[in-house]
Amino acid sequence: MAWINEEDMKAIRSQADIVDIIGKYIAVEKSGRGFKAQCPFHDDHDPSMSISEEKQIFKCFVCGAGGNVFSFVQKFENITFPEAVYKVAQMINYPLELPGIQVREKPDPFAKERKILEEYTGYMAYELFSEEGAQAYSQLRERKFDDELIRKFQIGFAPSAGQSEHFFSAKHFAPDDLVNAGVLNDGRAVFVDRIMIPIHDPKGRLVGYTARRTAESEYIPKYINTASTPLYEKGKLIFNYHRAKDAARKSGRAILCEGAMDVLGLEKADLHEGIACLGTAFTGDQLQLIERLKVPVHVWYDNDRAGKKAAYTFGKAAMGRGIPFSIVSNDGAKDPDEVFGQFGAQEVRRIADHTISFVEFLFQYLPDQYNLDNYEDKKAFAQEMNHAIVNTADEFERAGYFSRLKDLTGFDFSSVNASPVQERINKREPRRPAYIPKVQDGRQKAEWIILSSILYSKQFSLRFKEEIGFFKDELYRQLSLYIYDLYRLKDSIDADELFAHIEEEDVRNLLASLVSSNEEPGEELFEDSLWKIKECTISEQIDKINEQIRILRDPVQKVTLAKTKSVLIEERNKIRNRKEG
Ligand code: ZN
């Protein structure tokens, strides 16, 4: 295992705030003195994970996951410990050289295509600010793009075909690679006289473009996108996903729009959680990406026929996967960019928040899709509504919806659904019991206290090792071995350093429980627990002897054992009296 210099690790740990870092992955909210979040490590419906800013650890009280900032990143990203430290270092811009770490990435088979896209994007970004791009630039300015937004999204201008081709040959790019990258077709540059908006894959790597014409003409399509290439697979891409995911986790929602321009409209209004699927059919890959954001989705589609249909299509797919979402209700302007242009940022933000449930949306949308004067149609409509109500509405919402559906169609689903509803509730993943606190018998409780004690004091650790030596609980025993190891090198233990050494996840979880329990037992409790364990050990020995006496036939052996037993009982009594006295 690659090792990271202890000084570096300490510095990174002290500069990286666990609340900030976890907040980059999931929505975190203030709660009392600490913070809480929905646990990403089990199917959490409440915020079961608590995050302590003071102790710099997290702990889920349902599934038991816990640890420090590195453990969180390691577990969330499913990477090794050194990789997690490295990742956190990057997040806080801490310069960390890792001579020992192996970069596990395979050589990229599309390195040439990526280089082409990188360089071409840079070239076009430059062109936008040149004389050539003046018209495109002024169009952007008219649409209230400022330079900051243009730079953030690497927006550029594709000049004439000849100029792009000149650039390609000056760079010595191979024609085949240019075709593979989607920028050359039949020997000609694909994008000509267009405003270029780069598209990235979920990891943030450039894969293609959506390109808007600069000249208004009915002969030129308004938008063209990169054609299907090895890198550009439309069904696997969501525009702005790599940038929006952090913002979405922070704001606790994502805003799904129709196109790149809508996302940019949201950006102008200072909303950074906008995403857009490139096309109106939703693939499983795209839904999975959205699901992975673990935040509710606000669906903001155009307020026209096509937009409503797309919202409906998304709603059905999202409902099938249990993705929480609501529909933005915009009666006026069509899309975020238009709203921004006409009414400004405030109004964009207001509308983004102005949502209705999917069922409410269907009550508005579906009656136009069915002929409610026709019995079969009306029945199909009622069934579709019922399905949506059962699958998306909470208990308390249903009664209202069912009575509305009854008023509209005459069909009453309120009693029919008693069982399916129950089924749905039962289908939710049962909660796994928390590791801590669990019912502890006397000995385990004492071992817990000892474990807390030795974590905070080398003195206690030495005494326990000398007088008892081992824990009965296997997990405690594993953790204690790590503790003993560290004490060999130092006089006090830094929990972060200990986290770094522990490779087993359940042992890390145990350590997080210990640290978060806030127990620093002190001398008296330690002594009591030590005696308690001794007493338990003796009791166990007595039980064993009783068992042997029961099976043994030889009377002499029985007498010997009985003597041992009486010594043990006397010893146990001494311990018991000691406590009472
Ligand atoms: Zn959990």
Side-chain angles (χ1 to χ4, degrees), residues 371-468:
N371 173 8
L372 296 188
D373 292 329
N374 170 284
Y375 184 78
E376 290 304 322
D377 248 28
K378 188 163 74 177
K379 195 170 148 190
F381 163 73
Q383 279 167 331
E384 186 171 356
M385 288 303 304
N386 174 52
H387 181 72
I389 294 168
V390 170
N391 281 290
T392 63
D394 275 317
E395 201 79 48
F396 62 92
E397 297 171 293
R398 285 186 201 126
Y401 289 147
F402 283 137
S403 88
R404 204 162 141 196
L405 187 57
K406 191 184 167 199
D407 290 345
L408 204 60
T409 63
F411 299 117
D412 185 1
F413 286 88
S414 56
S415 56
V416 190
N417 283 295
S419 59
V421 168
Q422 200 51 50
E423 239 170 66
R424 192 172 79 94
I425 292 167
N426 292 344
K427 255 198 305 199
R428 282 188 177 177
E429 196 172 288
R431 291 212 157 160
R432 274 185 284 164
Y435 174 69
I436 295 291
K438 68 180 173 189
V439 186
Q440 295 175 321
D441 61 21
R443 176 170 185 139
Q444 182 140 26
K445 183 141 197 254
E447 289 203 335
W448 172 266
I449 291 166
I450 299 279
L451 200 56
S452 305
S453 309
I454 70 171
L455 182 61
Y456 294 105
S457 153
K458 186 173 185 173
Q459 217 49 40
F460 289 156
S461 153
L462 293 173
R463 275 202 52 205
F464 176 74
K465 223 172 143 182
E466 199 179 287
E467 294 188 28
I468 297 174

Side-chain angles (χ1 to χ4, degrees), residues 312 361-370 372 381 384-385:
Y312 171 68
F361 168 81
L362 292 179
F363 268 122
Q364 296 170 16
Y365 174 75
L366 279 185
D368 291 337
Q369 314 304 314
Y370 287 98
L372 296 188
F381 163 73
E384 186 171 356
M385 288 303 304

Side-chain angles (χ1 to χ4, degrees), residues 39-44 48-49 60-65:
C39 174
F41 306 123
H42 77 273
D43 180 23
D44 199 5
S48 306
M49 178 180 278
C60 171
F61 289 96
V62 174
C63 71

Side-chain angles (χ1 to χ4, degrees), residues 86-262:
Y86 188 68
K87 184 116 201 176
V88 173
Q90 282 183 316
M91 287 188 219
I92 60 166
N93 293 320
Y94 182 94
L96 183 64
E97 301 267 327
L98 282 185
I101 205 164
Q102 300 260 322
V103 180
R104 295 190 306 176
E105 276 168 35
K106 285 180 243 144
D108 183 356
F110 303 112
K112 286 182 200 156
E113 287 82 354
R114 290 191 204 285
K115 187 168 163 41
I116 288 171
L117 292 174
E118 291 284 343
E119 299 220 2
Y120 193 34
T121 301
Y123 167 70
M124 293 189 295
Y126 169 81
E127 281 294 300
L128 180 65
F129 291 94
S130 74
E131 212 170 296
E132 223 62 56
Q135 195 203 347
Y137 181 73
S138 76
Q139 281 177 10
L140 287 169
R141 295 300 304 203
E142 267 165 44
R143 298 188 70 164
K144 307 198 170 155
F145 282 75
D146 59 26
D147 288 357
E148 198 189 322
L149 183 60
I150 289 172
R151 292 220 165 82
K152 179 177 173 188
F153 280 79
Q154 299 165 279
I155 296 170
F157 172 67
S160 70
Q163 276 170 292
S164 284
E165 288 152 22
H166 180 73
F167 171 77
F168 297 151
S169 60
K171 284 278 172 185
H172 305 292
F173 293 138
D176 283 353
D177 297 337
L178 289 162
V179 171
N180 258 347
V183 296
L184 194 75
N185 190 20
D186 282 339
R188 309 281 353 221
V190 170
F191 300 103
V192 176
D193 195 16
R194 285 182 179 270
I195 291 169
M196 302 292 288
I197 303 168
I199 295 170
H200 301 75
D201 68 10
K203 287 185 177 164
R205 299 176 301 189
L206 255 174
V207 293
Y209 308 92
T210 181
R212 192 187 193 282
R213 69 182 177 209
T214 50
E216 290 308 315
S217 159
E218 52 181 309
Y219 302 109
I220 311 172
K222 193 169 177 184
Y223 284 98
I224 56 171
N225 294 342
T226 297
S228 194
T229 70
L231 294 179
Y232 189 94
E233 290 180 80
K234 192 166 102 173
K236 292 186 175 172
L237 300 170
I238 292 180
F239 178 71
N240 199 37
Y241 185 86
H242 68 296
R243 295 190 200 93
K245 66 182 179 199
D246 288 350
R249 281 165 184 155
K250 238 175 214 162
S251 69
R253 68 159 185 220
I255 304 172
L256 176 66
C257 316
E258 275 188 41
M261 276 298 169
D262 302 326

Side-chain angles (χ1 to χ4, degrees), residues 60-75:
C60 171
F61 289 96
V62 174
C63 71
N68 64 359
V69 65
F70 303 132
S71 329
F72 183 91
V73 173
Q74 181 180 3
K75 194 165 158 61

